[in-house]
Amino acid sequence: MAFSQAKGIIEIQNNSDLERKEAVVAIKWETILSHYSQIDTANFVVINTTTKKQIPYQLEHKGLPGIQNLLVQVNVKAKATVRLSIQKGKPNPIEVKTYARFVPERKDDFAWENDKIAFRTYGKAIENTNEDAYGFDVWVKRTNKMVVNERYKLGNYHKDNGNGMDYYHVGHTLGAGNMAPYIKDTIRYSANYHQWKVLDNGPLRTTFQLGYDEWNAGGVKVKAVKTISLDAGSQLNRVENVYTFEDNKPMPVVVGIIKRPEQGVVSLNEQNGILGYWEPTFKEDGTTGVGAILTTPVKNMLVNKEQLLAVIEVKNNEAIVYYTGASWDKAGKITNSGQWFEYLDRFSQELKNPMLVNVK
């Protein structure tokens, strides 16, 4: 018997034709409590009822005192259902697969990673120096272990010490999928983030918030808060941006990916909102794939001298969500442009066909 009251079976149903591997699924905590009112948050396990094995989980808070969701990581075949139950017991140690932190020792960087890829963005201390950059940076990796702390400690992360490196160049662009206002056909970059807050920090999902002080975006005064989540097993971040500005009418913004001078492979899928880029190979360092998926209608996609851009509109003080991220051929999973664009297309299809959760 799981607890003193009737058991609840958690059903995770995949109605799509896509097999879901390593998917992180959120189950509302209030739903869990309605079936397991006596649950001891420090002493329970989640069991796959078929295999009888423990499933890794995380209690998600979203920066709030109370638990908001139970996150589980599951594999669900196409057109199939996985059933889980909750029982008293000591959970197996759960491998840390996501992590983020503020890095004051490196000019206020903010860095984050999962078991596939790593990223960073730039803070206040680096502003007005020749190292400053506006966009998201990619740190490629070929290990499922966390590398951010080790790389900062070593200091020479531009060299591959066996698990990957930072050879991505951002400069004065949006880098790997950052967003900025696009007023009068010009990108209006903010300063770097000046506030940060970690809302959840693994082991299956890491979420943090970055705050941007008001800036003049081509005559429009704008503030921004960006909430970024990275799940275990995913090449892409979920980015939720809230722009605050005085206008009642929507404001155009762009999501951008830096383009290299050498020949790469570009994929612009305006209809499905997918921006894909397979970079030119960078000598012995390998090849990076970068991509973004928009969840709101795209007005236009274009390629200029410096960047691939997707133009969309945001409303004042309303959240807009998109996904952006990267892959590396030397990690051995996605090794050419076809596989990368297929990954982005599949990810887009998964967003449109979320798995259904039911607790009985």
Side-chain angles (χ1 to χ4, degrees):
M1 192 66 186
F3 293 96
S4 56
Q5 79 278 21
K7 267 189 189 180
I9 295 292
I10 302 162
E11 291 187 343
I12 299 172
Q13 193 175 338
N14 176 12
N15 289 334
S16 76
D17 296 322
L18 304 167
E19 183 179 355
R20 304 296 175 90
K21 291 181 178 173
E22 301 181 291
V24 176
V25 178
I27 306 151
K28 284 193 166 54
W29 188 247
E30 60 192 34
T31 306
I32 298 293
L33 287 180
S34 69
H35 290 83
Y36 297 100
S37 59
Q38 305 300 312
I39 193 167
D40 174 359
T41 54
N43 190 37
F44 77 91
V45 294
V46 180
I47 301 290
N48 181 315
T49 60
T50 304
T51 65
K52 310 297 184 204
K53 288 184 175 169
Q54 285 192 30
I55 296 288
Y57 70 83
Q58 175 185 335
L59 300 176
E60 184 183 33
H61 286 262
K62 295 188 168 184
L64 299 167
I67 300 164
Q68 303 302 304
N69 291 311
L70 172 67
L71 304 178
V72 293
Q73 190 174 33
V74 290
N75 297 316
V76 192
K77 290 192 162 64
K79 305 285 187 188
T81 300
V82 164
R83 291 175 178 84
L84 311 175
S85 70
I86 291 177
Q87 298 172 15
K88 280 183 181 170
K90 186 170 170 50
N92 294 334
I94 297 171
E95 187 184 349
V96 173
K97 295 180 179 180
T98 66
Y99 175 71
R101 80 171 175 97
F102 172 57
V103 191
E105 71 271 26
R106 218 307 294 196
K107 298 183 180 172
D108 296 351
D109 281 0
F110 198 97
W112 68 102
E113 65 180 316
N114 68 0
D115 49 350
K116 305 286 183 191
I117 193 84
F119 304 91
R120 70 168 164 172
T121 193
Y122 302 93
K124 190 172 185 177
I126 207 169
E127 286 174 356
N128 304 315
T129 74
N130 60 3
E131 291 179 279
D132 196 10
Y134 299 141
F136 293 151
D137 189 20
V138 178
W139 280 14
V140 294
K141 55 193 276 191
R142 52 162 168 250
T143 174
N144 56 9
K145 302 285 184 276
M146 301 296 99
V147 301
V148 159
N149 284 337
E150 174 198 313
R151 287 191 191 174
Y152 277 115
K153 199 172 176 183
L154 287 170
N156 64 342
Y157 44 79
H158 295 293
K159 175 176 175 283
D160 188 349
N161 293 298
N163 62 23
M165 61 190 297
D166 171 24
Y167 74 93
Y168 193 75
H169 172 67
V170 177
H172 290 182
T173 74
L174 293 165
N178 202 358
M179 180 187 276
Y182 191 61
I183 313 286
K184 296 174 188 148
D185 293 339
T186 304
I187 302 171
R188 310 292 178 169
Y189 296 103
S190 66
N192 295 340
Y193 80 89
H194 288 181
Q195 301 87 34
W196 63 273
K197 186 180 180 186
V198 176
L199 307 182
D200 287 284
N201 211 351
L204 299 178
R205 174 178 293 168
T206 287
T207 305
F208 58 94
Q209 237 169 32
L210 303 174
Y212 296 78
D213 292 345
E214 186 176 87
W215 76 101
N216 184 344
V220 182
K221 288 180 178 172
V222 180
K223 276 184 178 175
V225 175
K226 304 188 176 188
T227 305
I228 300 171
S229 278
L230 184 58
D231 282 1
S234 177
Q235 304 287 155
L236 304 184
N237 301 282
R238 180 188 188 274
V239 184
E240 181 177 305
N241 290 342
V242 176
Y243 288 95
T244 313
F245 49 95
E246 290 162 343
D247 240 330
N248 285 327
K249 62 178 193 285
M251 178 176 73
V253 296
V254 281
V255 172
I257 294 170
I258 185 171
K259 182 167 75 79
R260 307 301 171 195
E262 305 81 12
Q263 186 70 38
V265 187
V266 172
S267 173
L268 306 180
N269 183 339
E270 221 168 86
Q271 191 179 348
N272 291 318
I274 305 172
L275 199 62
Y277 186 47
W278 188 252
E279 290 203 332
T281 301
F282 195 78
K283 299 177 183 168
E284 68 277 3
D285 296 334
T287 318
T288 305
V290 190
I293 299 171
L294 294 308
T295 64
T296 49
V298 174
K299 294 194 73 177
N300 184 24
M301 283 186 177
L302 61 138
V303 181
N304 66 19
K305 200 173 72 172
E306 291 182 314
Q307 305 187 67
L308 286 63
L309 299 172
V311 186
I312 48 181
E313 286 187 333
V314 299
K315 291 180 178 170
N316 174 40
N317 214 26
E318 278 189 26
I320 186 165
V321 174
Y322 72 102
Y323 294 79
T324 186
S327 65
W328 188 38
D329 65 343
K330 284 194 171 186
K333 295 282 194 291
I334 296 167
T335 57
N336 58 54
S337 61
Q339 289 175 349
W340 178 232
F341 299 153
E342 188 184 330
Y343 178 90
L344 295 173
D345 184 56
R346 186 190 173 96
F347 197 103
S348 173
Q349 288 178 54
E350 289 178 0
L351 290 175
K352 289 168 185 163
N353 296 282
M355 289 193 282
L356 305 174
V357 177
N358 188 23
V359 185
K360 292 182 173 177

